[in-house]
Amino acid sequence: MAGERRRLRAVRVRATVIAALAVGLALVAGGVVLVLGLRVELSNDVRDAARARAQEVARVIEAGRGVPEVSVADPEEEFLQVVDQRGTVVAASSNVEGLPALARLRPGGSTEVDTPIDEDPFLVVAVGARDGDRRLTVLDGRTPAGVAEATSTVTRMLLIGLPVLLALASAATWVAVGRTLRRVARAEAAQRRFVSDASHELRSPLATVRQHAEVALAHPGRSARTSSTTTTG
C-alpha cells in the first residue's frame, strides 16, 4: 500500500512539473511577444506624431509662405530642422539652433540619431517640401523615452505576475492530477476486490473438478463405472 502511494505521488509530481514547464514556457513566450509588440506599436505612434508635425511645416512651405520659424512644444522631447538639398539647415527650433543637420534622410525615411538634447537617441522622420525651385526636407525628431518607460513598466509587471500565474497553474495541476489519480486508485481497488471475490467463488467448484480429475487419472476403471452408473440411472 505504501509502495502504491509512493508510485502515485511520483506520477503526480512528474505531471505537475511537466505542466509547470509547459505553462512557464508559454507565459514567457507570450510575455516577450507582448513587450515587443507594445514597443513596436508605441514606436509607430511616436513616428506618426513626428511625421504629422513635419507635414504641417511642409504644408506651410508649399503654400508659398516661405520657410517659417519653427518651434516645438517641449524642447526636451522634440526638435525641428528644415534642410535644403545640400544639407544646409535653413530653419531650426531653438533647442538645435546653430547645429548642423542631425540626420541625413530622404523624404519618407526615418531613423534614430544621437542628439545633444538627451542621452537617449531620438526618432527622426523626414517629409519633403518644395519652396519655389528649392527642394527642402523637414526633419522632426522625438524622444522615444515614453516607449522605453512603458515597456519597462509592462516588463516589471510581467516579472511579478508571471511567477504568480505559474504558481496558480501548478497548484491547479497538482489538485487536478491528485483527484484523477485517486479515482484511478479507487477503480483499481474495486477491480482487485472483484477479482478476489470471483476467485473465492470459483475456488470450490474448481477444487471439486480437480478432485474428480485426479480420481479419474488414478482409477480409470472406477471412473468409467461411475460414469456408466450415472448414465444408467
Side-chain angles (χ1 to χ4, degrees):
M1 190 66 177
E4 181 68 12
R5 284 199 297 268
R6 284 195 298 270
R7 183 181 69 84
L8 293 178
R9 183 177 180 83
V11 172
R12 192 178 187 183
V13 170
R14 285 198 299 271
T16 302
V17 170
I18 292 172
L21 290 175
V23 172
L25 290 174
L27 290 175
V28 170
V32 171
V33 171
L34 174 63
V35 171
L36 293 178
L38 178 64
R39 184 178 184 84
V40 170
E41 186 66 25
L42 293 177
S43 297
N44 288 337
D45 290 344
V46 173
R47 187 178 290 106
D48 291 342
R51 183 171 289 108
R53 176 65 177 127
Q55 287 172 344
E56 289 179 5
V57 176
R59 281 194 293 269
V60 172
I61 295 173
E62 293 189 339
R65 303 176 189 175
V67 179
E69 292 185 4
V70 292
S71 61
V72 294
D74 191 340
E76 294 183 356
E77 295 187 357
E78 182 184 8
F79 72 84
L80 270 167
Q81 289 181 318
V82 181
V83 183
D84 63 16
Q85 288 179 286
R86 293 175 295 180
T88 303
V89 176
V90 298
S93 54
S94 60
N95 55 344
V96 291
E97 192 172 1
L99 295 177
L102 295 176
R104 296 284 184 176
L105 286 173
R106 292 182 178 181
S110 66
T111 188
E112 288 190 352
V113 299
D114 293 323
T115 71
I117 303 173
D118 197 293
E119 295 179 356
D120 296 324
F122 271 50
L123 180 62
V124 183
V125 300
V127 174
R130 183 181 290 275
D131 179 30
D133 294 333
R134 291 194 304 174
R135 291 184 178 179
L136 304 176
T137 302
V138 181
L139 301 176
D140 186 281
R142 300 198 176 208
T143 175
V147 176
E149 183 178 351
T151 52
S152 296
T153 300
V154 172
T155 301
R156 286 194 298 270
M157 293 175 63
L158 290 174
L159 289 176
I160 296 172
L162 290 184
V164 175
L165 292 175
L166 182 59
L168 292 175
S170 299
T173 302
W174 177 265
V175 172
V177 172
R179 290 176 179 173
T180 302
L181 289 177
R182 282 195 294 272
R183 294 194 191 100
V184 172
R186 285 196 293 268
E188 289 181 348
Q191 184 179 19
R192 284 195 296 269
R193 284 195 301 271
F194 173 78
V195 172
S196 177
D197 293 343
S199 175
H200 178 73
E201 292 295 331
L202 292 173
R203 188 173 300 158
S204 296
L206 288 175
T208 302
V209 172
R210 180 178 179 182
Q211 183 178 6
H212 282 296
E214 289 176 349
V215 170
L217 289 174
H219 308 282
R222 180 179 176 181
S223 176
R225 287 195 301 273
T226 303
S227 300
S228 175
T229 303
T230 301
T231 303
T232 303

